[in-house]
Amino acid sequence: MGNNGARSTEGRVVGAALPRIDGYAKVTGAALFADDMAFPRMLFGRLLRSPHAHARILSIDYEKALRLPGVVAIATGRDLPVRYGILPSTQDETVFAIEKVRYVGEPVAGIVAEDERTAQRAAALIEVRYEALPSVMSIDDALRDLTENGEKIHPESRKSNNVHKDVHLTFGDIEAGFADADRVFDDEYFFEGNTHAALEEHSAVAICGADGKLTLWSSTQTPHYLHRVAAAVLEMPASRIRIIAPPIGGGFGGKTEPVAHELAAAYFARATGRPVKFTLTREEIFYTHRGRHPVRIHLQTGVKNDGTITACRLQTWLDGGAFGSYGVATTYYTGALLPVTYKMGAYAFDGCRVYTNKPPCGPKRGHGTTQPRYAFESQLDDIANALGLDAGAYRAAIAVVPYSRTINHLRVTSCGIREALSAVAERTDYGAKHGKLAPGRGIGLAASAYLCGAGLPIYWNPMPHSGAVVKVDRGGGVTVFCGTSDCGQGSQNMLAAIVAETLGVDILDVSVCAGDTDLTPVDLGSYSSRVTFMAGNAARSAALEVRERIAAAAAAELGIAPERCAFASGRIFDRDEPDRALAFVDAARAAEARCGTLVGVGSYTPPADLHGDFKGSGVGPSPAYSYSACVAEVEVDFETGEVRVDRIVLAHDCGRALNPSIVEGQIEGSAYMGMGEALMEESAFRDDLHRIPNLLDYKTPTMLDTPSIEAIVIETEELEGPYGAKEAGEGPLNPVIPAIANAVADAIGARIFATPIVPERVLQALDGTTGPLRLRAPVAARTA
Amino acid sequence: MLRLPAFEFRPVRSVEDAAALLSEYGSDALPVAGGTDLYANMKLGLFTPRVVVGLRSIAELRRMHFDPAHGLRLGALCSLDSIARDPAVLLHYPALATAAAMVGTPEIRSMGTIGGNLCLETRCTYYNQSADWRKALGYCLKRDGDLCRVALHSPTCKAINASDTAPVMQAYDARISLVGPHGARVVAARDFFSNDGAHATVRQSDEILAEIALPPPPRGARSSYRKLRLRNAFDFPLLGVAVAVATNEAGACTQARVLLGAVGSAPIEVEGAGALLLGSHFAAATLADAAEEVFRAGKPLENANASLLYRKRMLRVLAQRALEDVAAPLR
Ligand SMILES: Cc1cc2nc3c(=O)[nH]c(=O)nc-3n(C[C@H](O)[C@H](O)[C@H](O)COP(=O)(O)OP(=O)(O)OC[C@H]3O[C@@H](n4cnc5c(N)ncnc54)[C@H](O)[C@@H]3O)c2cc1C
Ligand code: SF4
């Protein structure tokens, strides 16, 4: 067992800060990721990508490339014409562009060769003739009237100009709400787009067996959706395709939908009969993208003098990039969760997503809720300041209460927002510091809410969202089979912990078989922070089924009633007389002898009453919501505009912490990621090109930029969650960005209405301009 | 993953062998020391040498020696990390230690050499990009194209010399020895960097940078290096200011050099600033005037990871701070 000393002597797994079951393999490099896989005779793939942001493809000539020694096959749009998209309503992509290209970096052709370098050289030999079209590179551009100039990015779209989706929802009497307000706050914000920057570069390996069965390993967060799309695109029965999700080196939403290289790997494996690998370069990941949407936000909030929100109107414009992706859902998400955090008298939401000639945006940690949360929490701070209220106490006063319905008809169950708010305020002495620190120093606070899984699946169906099978071996080993994909968040560990807890065995006696469409029941995937809640519940039901049978057998052996059987420390014993006991393995054998092969099945479907009944009500409902609050302390250099974050305190209500150290890890990672989004990350374009498609120029914080992060785990008992758990994957990110923005506002005495808060923007705010920098700093700032 | 193009690797054990090989293969060969700059550029397709001459086994180029009478001699292969930690460097040439310690990351400082840092390829946001990216752009003057994207009418490339140690070496008035197939020559740091984005230095393609010699620190020497960057690690300088001064018993300035890095294609000496300091006692007003000189002298372009206006404005701030560093203990 070596250093992997995860043995839990207590027999209690849930709630214990045990080391992760996959931790040792991950830190030693033993874990095998998709790109680690190799097969004899394997071919290497490469995608030829468009150099144009918007152009018609006139011709593609790959004869010369095909003649290059070592090149085995080449394919273009003609070979894979089936359109797909993650949402049934937006089937707008093909593996390789057909007729048009819509962003720089869009795949146009695929090559497989004996080695990577040859494939790369062949790509350069393919001759594509284009006719350039005017490109659309901003929200304003996309909304511009196209009647005289230009063609739509998606000519078949029924919306006007380059609009992809617009949404209008009103709850309560919005006009009356504003009329009732003592004051109305009206602000515009811009949240810059950014990317996931997961460490692992996307990789896919495919083989096609002699029987024609195709197996595809891919770093995907959603093996089930990839399975469906692969069957459709390859025009093959799904029963002949097997998708396996190996361990994934981070996803953050960037690996939640099928993309070209995975489908190309499968296609070429079938076409050539040889194993095929495609691994993207970092630059290609910036083009594959599906990252955070840039969002322009108009926010109007009417309040009484005591801060009560009488009405709130939110308008969002999302820069979607060239394809739909999850964009329809993202659009709804920009409006769905504000009322899950605070009570409001009336609420109106208008969302509009546009197509532009940039890499497609999609879901990133916080999916669509992060941008409006930044705006709302910023404005809330300004409201608190204007009304002379303490920002923490004010939020607690207007926060939703447990077991209630929001104005947009969402069902709230457990809710630890007040506990989270007071934890961060007390830990940092927020009330005594805010507005009172020396110039250049600031403290900021913010709160938020997030889903524990989307209440509805991506494609409508009445089946469970997650299924699990638990099998007990005659040696006492337990295996849990579940379709989850571990993108690093610890879902394997979560499954093992829940099953170990339910059966009273050591966590290391539980093996996890996950993310394999041949072997595991469907789980919809690692997105919307759904896995612990949904797969956890499925695994728990499956384990309970097994447990019941073992209990019956053990009870017979021990001569007691089955209800008296307790499971812990690898034993089944009499609750009333603990010395009457049976080893788990013996009880399991007895159970198998009594009722045959020892397998339990479980599944989870969210309850039906989570939401209201209106168009668009499907996005936002969740069986439960997590709550977080954050305080950040910063120091601003008035001369350089640099912001240094000194401290982040982040409290998160995750329901019950199944493993507190994994929860803390998620909270710390959220603080880090949020800080990067607040201060430096941006998907920046120059003309039609991504300006910085590499990790030297695209800035994420380094260890030396990262302050001390204090994670506070707030536990509430979520009655519908597995062992009371909710989520910790995405929720804690959201309050970090506005907390830092509010701290900067406190430090410099001015609000910056855009992210990221780069030094230049800080200087503009100090100068009192939003335009170009003045070359000399204003005297007031310099002497401050 | 981005792959290195194929090349033949020829390790050598002496400077002479290196020069001979470089001379034999001409433009088909490049020397490599730590490889932290060259290999990254090769992956982007900026260089495609047929032969790469490995210098790392030339033991004599690893030597570092200080004595008060002759100053500091640094073999070209000394790692930036070893320089940043060396007690004599820390004591007598603190700005060099600071600059070396601020390069990239710990990994880059232990692989990266001082010779490689001084021969660093110039950088530009239109240039340090993949072959596909540059193709989509339509290339630029520095390689494969005929137009400078930064200065549209410029006949020459304006890429940035982004070496952290280059301005410091010039501030210390370092001498650089180059060894070619026909012998050795020594050039002053101020003549070593060529103000041309296409050619970072005057080194001939068959010459090896063998050694850097720094004169002994003058009496009352003080020096400082300030670097502007967006993160506290990884990042190349957006600006660098190096100041080296000497003083007499009375505290008056007897020698002063103020250098600007990462603004032009070579470090820029701001002579006006030096002249203001000379004979002064580093009064606040003098420092402000000198900083103003620096501000006027530096003309950044839109080719780094921060806007031209921001870098321009920071010139004064950074200069002021570097000047205060050298003045502080004296005032
Ligand atoms: C992520 C990253 C961050 C970086 N950050 C910084 C930074 O902040 N500041 C900075 O200054 N640099 C930075 N660098 C650049 C580089 O790592 C350093 O400048 C390093 O010192 C280069 O040394 P090297 O030995 O690795 O050079 P190499 O890559 O080996 O060589 C660089 C160039 O010099 C030539 N050369 C090398 N040695 C000799 C010699 N003895 N004689 C003749 N020619 C020679 C090579 O042919 C090549 O053209 C960074 C690099 C990376 C990848
Ligand atoms: S300065 Fe001009 S020519 Fe030089 S690399 Fe940049 S764009 Fe190219």
Side-chain angles (χ1 to χ4, degrees):
Chain A
M1 187 164 4
N3 292 336
N4 198 358
R7 208 96 202 156
S8 55
T9 46
E10 297 288 296
R12 294 207 68 80
V13 182
V14 160
L18 298 174
R20 279 171 65 145
I21 55 170
D22 54 346
Y24 192 66
K26 293 267 173 74
V27 298
T28 57
L32 293 180
F33 296 86
D35 189 52
D36 291 322
M37 305 220 294
F39 292 95
R41 301 180 67 242
M42 187 165 84
L43 299 173
F44 294 85
R46 178 96 187 151
L47 301 174
L48 173 70
R49 294 175 180 271
S50 165
H52 293 283
H54 197 191
R56 228 180 297 288
I57 300 173
L58 301 179
S59 66
I60 304 179
D61 179 357
Y62 56 75
E63 284 311 309
K64 216 191 293 171
L66 208 48
R67 282 200 303 271
L68 186 72
V71 172
V72 176
I74 295 180
T76 65
R78 258 203 318 236
D79 303 300
L80 280 162
V82 177
R83 287 153 69 94
Y84 65 92
I86 186 72
L87 301 185
S89 63
T90 331
Q91 303 285 302
D92 58 1
E93 287 190 70
T94 51
V95 176
F96 305 118
I98 296 175
E99 285 173 23
K100 285 220 304 188
V101 288
R102 295 175 171 86
Y103 63 96
V104 173
E106 183 175 353
V108 174
I111 303 106
V112 288
E114 301 289 346
D115 60 78
E116 253 179 300
R117 249 188 235 130
T118 304
Q120 193 172 334
R121 278 175 54 212
L125 293 176
I126 298 178
E127 283 163 27
V128 187
R129 289 198 308 124
Y130 294 99
E131 176 197 334
L133 298 167
S135 60
V136 176
M137 295 301 287
S138 68
I139 294 170
D140 286 340
D141 265 6
L143 294 172
R144 195 162 294 147
D145 194 357
L146 280 175
T147 36
E148 62 230 46
N149 168 34
E151 105 176 18
K152 285 183 188 178
I153 296 171
H154 292 276
E156 70 285 1
S157 150
R158 273 171 287 141
K159 300 268 183 223
S160 60
N161 305 325
N162 279 304
V163 171
H164 167 216
K165 177 77 189 171
D166 53 359
V167 180
H168 308 280
L169 296 172
T170 306
F171 305 96
D173 188 339
I174 191 81
E175 298 312 329
F178 278 114
D180 203 25
D182 292 320
R183 298 184 60 170
V184 175
F185 290 78
D186 187 330
D187 297 293
E188 284 203 23
Y189 302 85
F190 181 71
F191 195 103
E192 183 56 278
N194 54 51
T195 198
H196 317 88
L199 269 186
E200 183 205 15
E201 292 163 335
H202 305 43
S203 182
V205 178
I207 57 175
C208 191
D211 55 357
K213 177 133 183 179
L214 194 66
T215 304
L216 173 63
W217 289 262
S218 183
S219 23
T220 175
Q221 296 174 245
T222 52
H224 173 61
Y225 294 143
L226 177 56
H227 194 203
R228 283 167 50 85
V229 170
V233 169
L234 298 171
E235 301 179 88
M236 259 173 96
S239 57
R240 302 294 174 81
I241 301 176
R242 176 181 182 186
I243 308 288
I244 302 176
I248 295 170
F252 310 111
K255 296 167 181 167
T256 49
E257 64 184 286
V259 287
H261 73 279
E262 343 176 66
L263 300 166
Y267 168 82
F268 281 116
R270 185 179 65 181
T272 63
R274 292 175 61 175
V276 171
K277 177 191 282 185
F278 274 81
T279 300
L280 300 185
T281 66
R282 182 58 65 179
E283 181 177 355
E284 288 181 288
I285 293 165
F286 279 94
Y287 301 143
T288 306
H289 197 43
R290 323 285 152 163
R292 180 93 68 220
H293 285 70
V295 182
R296 190 162 88 207
I297 298 159
H298 182 195
L299 182 63
Q300 294 161 289
T301 306
V303 292
K304 301 296 264 184
N305 283 327
D306 68 357
T308 307
I309 298 175
T310 57
C312 174
R313 177 183 285 125
L314 170 71
Q315 288 168 279
T316 59
W317 291 265
L318 295 81
D319 179 346
F323 290 100
S325 178
Y326 280 84
V328 171
T330 319
T331 309
Y332 279 112
Y333 272 132
T334 61
L337 293 198
L338 290 188
V340 175
T341 320
Y342 304 110
K343 290 177 282 196
M344 22 187 94
Y347 180 55
F349 164 59
D350 300 288
C352 173
R353 184 181 191 263
V354 297
Y355 288 120
T356 53
N357 292 115
K358 300 186 200 170
C361 294
K364 177 179 169 184
R365 201 178 204 176
H367 193 187
T369 70
T370 306
Q371 303 94 326
R373 177 59 58 196
Y374 150 76
F376 196 77
E377 296 292 321
S378 297
Q379 194 180 62
L380 216 47
D381 232 49
D382 293 344
I383 294 174
N385 289 341
L387 301 181
L389 302 168
D390 173 89
Y394 172 42
R395 283 173 171 83
I398 59 171
V400 299
V401 295
Y403 300 96
S404 59
R405 283 268 169 191
T406 68
I407 182 122
N408 56 342
H409 310 300
L410 298 175
R411 187 195 75 166
V412 172
T413 55
S414 62
C415 165
I417 188 169
R418 285 175 185 76
E419 293 82 344
L421 278 165
S422 55
V424 293
E426 277 166 28
R427 174 77 69 90
T428 57
D429 214 3
Y430 174 84
K433 288 182 187 163
H434 180 73
K436 302 182 189 80
L437 297 173
R441 291 181 163 271
I443 186 167
L445 178 146
S448 77
Y450 200 68
L451 317 166
C452 303
L456 296 174
I458 296 299
Y459 65 101
W460 192 88
N461 74 79
M463 290 174 282
H465 291 214
S466 200
V469 173
V470 170
K471 179 204 78 130
V472 183
D473 176 67
R474 288 179 189 180
V478 180
T479 309
V480 50
F481 300 83
C482 183
T484 50
S485 161
D486 198 326
C487 51
Q489 85 276 45
S491 65
Q492 308 276 93
N493 200 84
M494 178 278 298
L495 291 169
I498 282 178
V499 171
E501 178 74 26
T502 310
L503 297 179
V505 298
D506 192 290
I507 191 166
L508 294 179
D509 289 331
V510 181
S511 305
V512 180
C513 172
D516 182 327
T517 58
D518 262 15
L519 302 183
T520 61
V522 164
D523 172 80
L524 295 181
S526 284
Y527 64 94
S528 77
S529 292
R530 54 176 297 291
V531 177
T532 291
F533 204 98
M534 300 195 183
N537 267 325
R540 181 163 150 73
S541 310
L544 280 173
E545 197 175 298
V546 170
R547 179 182 157 124
E548 214 166 283
R549 272 189 255 159
I550 296 177
E557 299 276 320
L558 296 171
I560 57 172
E563 302 78 57
R564 275 173 53 180
C565 285
F567 287 60
S569 307
R571 300 185 325 147
I572 287 95
F573 55 90
D574 182 353
R575 213 177 281 286
D576 302 333
E577 250 179 88
D579 285 343
R580 286 171 78 169
L582 209 58
F584 175 82
V585 56
D586 295 330
R589 286 179 182 172
E592 188 177 338
R594 269 166 73 104
C595 27
T597 303
L598 206 44
V599 170
V601 299
S603 53
Y604 178 80
T605 312
D609 66 335
L610 301 178
H611 55 86
D613 184 20
F614 54 90
K615 184 166 167 22
S617 66
V619 180
S622 175
Y625 297 93
S626 72
Y627 289 88
S628 339
C630 179
V631 166
E633 296 187 47
V634 304
E635 210 171 320
V636 177
D637 184 322
F638 279 148
E639 288 185 324
T640 63
E642 289 162 328
V643 176
R644 195 180 78 202
V645 180
D646 290 326
R647 186 185 187 194
I648 297 177
V649 179
L650 180 48
H652 180 67
D653 157 27
C654 63
R656 177 121 177 252
L658 298 179
N659 182 324
S661 65
I662 295 183
V663 173
E664 283 169 14
Q666 289 294 321
I667 296 175
E668 288 168 9
S670 295
Y672 165 83
M673 183 177 265
M675 185 180 82
E677 294 195 42
L679 297 183
M680 53 183 85
E681 295 189 40
E682 52 185 321
S683 300
F685 289 80
R686 180 150 61 193
D687 302 329
D688 290 350
L689 289 178
H690 194 300
R691 196 161 61 81
I692 44 175
N694 63 73
L695 288 184
L696 176 58
D697 297 324
Y698 178 91
K699 307 295 177 193
T700 58
T702 72
M703 277 312 287
L704 297 182
D705 307 302
T706 307
S708 90
I709 297 172
E710 295 160 54
I712 303 176
V713 178
I714 304 287
E715 294 197 287
T716 52
E717 191 67 27
E718 171 53 44
L719 299 176
E720 293 182 22
Y723 289 106
K726 295 199 285 193
E727 72 92 29
E730 297 179 75
L733 171 88
N734 278 349
V736 177
I737 301 162
I740 291 174
N742 290 339
V744 171
D746 185 39
I748 67 173
R751 170 72 56 193
I752 295 169
F753 291 91
T755 69
I757 303 172
V758 291
E760 198 160 338
R761 286 212 167 102
V762 173
L763 293 182
Q764 282 165 344
L766 287 168
D767 288 355
T769 67
T770 51
L773 283 182
R774 289 186 203 159
L775 290 175
R776 189 180 274 281
V779 179
R782 273 195 292 157
T783 51
Chain B
M1 196 202 278
L2 215 49
R3 296 286 171 196
L4 271 172
F7 60 89
E8 188 188 337
F9 184 69
R10 300 284 293 269
V12 292
R13 291 195 172 278
S14 74
V15 180
E16 291 69 29
D17 289 354
L21 269 180
L22 289 175
S23 156
E24 179 185 340
Y25 288 98
S27 59
D28 274 349
L30 283 176
V32 70
T36 59
D37 183 50
L38 182 68
Y39 291 139
N41 286 339
M42 284 170 64
K43 282 192 166 192
L44 299 178
L46 298 172
F47 297 100
T48 45
R50 195 152 63 80
V51 172
V52 172
V53 178
L55 306 180
R56 283 173 62 84
S57 320
I58 309 178
E60 55 178 302
L61 295 192
R62 291 198 173 275
R63 281 201 291 258
M64 192 188 312
H65 180 76
F66 174 76
D67 78 66
H70 299 98
L72 178 70
R73 305 181 84 84
L74 289 171
L77 289 176
C78 292
S79 74
L80 294 169
D81 185 59
S82 66
I83 293 170
R85 289 165 187 274
D86 185 77
V89 177
L90 281 162
L91 190 62
H92 300 296
Y93 309 94
L96 176 59
T98 306
M102 287 180 128
V103 169
T105 65
E107 295 86 342
I108 282 168
R109 292 192 292 274
S110 65
M111 283 303 285
T113 64
I114 187 70
N117 193 254
L118 293 177
C119 294
L120 191 68
E121 176 64 11
T122 56
R123 300 182 63 84
C124 169
T125 47
Y126 289 98
Y127 174 71
N128 294 90
Q129 301 276 5
S130 72
D132 289 339
W133 192 97
R134 287 178 293 113
K135 182 179 177 200
L137 175 78
Y139 301 108
C140 77
L141 197 58
K142 188 164 159 78
R143 196 190 153 95
D144 301 327
D146 45 19
L147 190 75
C148 173
R149 306 274 163 180
V150 176
L152 289 175
H153 302 294
S154 171
T156 56
C157 166
K158 300 284 186 188
I160 299 167
N161 181 318
S163 160
D164 276 307
T165 68
V168 175
M169 289 297 187
Q170 208 171 317
Y172 285 132
D173 196 21
R175 312 274 136 172
I176 289 166
S177 22
L178 298 169
V179 179
H182 309 297
R185 60 174 174 142
V186 175
V187 291
R190 94 176 73 81
D191 301 321
F192 179 67
F193 304 104
S194 60
N195 197 13
D196 173 359
H199 306 280
T201 71
V202 300
R203 182 183 75 82
Q204 299 292 312
S205 64
D206 56 3
E207 282 179 317
I208 293 296
L209 192 167
E211 195 183 69
I212 303 118
L214 276 71
R219 196 198 166 285
R222 303 217 54 94
S223 57
S224 168
Y225 177 69
R226 287 275 182 163
K227 171 175 182 172
L228 182 70
R229 54 180 167 179
L230 296 175
R231 300 180 292 184
N232 290 310
F234 275 99
D235 290 353
F236 281 91
L238 294 167
L239 274 186
V241 177
V243 180
V245 299
T247 54
N248 61 18
E249 285 99 23
C253 179
T254 55
Q255 195 179 311
R257 268 189 223 94
V258 179
L259 266 295
L260 266 179
V263 179
S265 300
I268 297 167
E269 176 160 8
V270 188
E271 286 169 2
L276 282 169
L277 293 176
L278 220 54
S280 84
H281 283 75
F282 304 96
T286 313
L287 302 187
D289 290 345
E292 183 65 25
E293 284 294 322
V294 172
F295 174 73
R296 267 196 244 139
K299 298 190 168 49
L301 296 171
E302 208 61 76
N303 55 356
N305 268 319
S307 78
L308 179 169
L309 282 174
Y310 181 67
R311 287 166 69 223
K312 179 76 179 168
R313 177 155 157 179
M314 287 309 103
L315 277 167
R316 184 190 285 107
V317 176
L318 227 63
Q320 177 78 29
R321 290 179 182 185
L323 291 165
E324 279 167 8
D325 291 339
V326 299
L330 300 167
R331 266 198 292 178

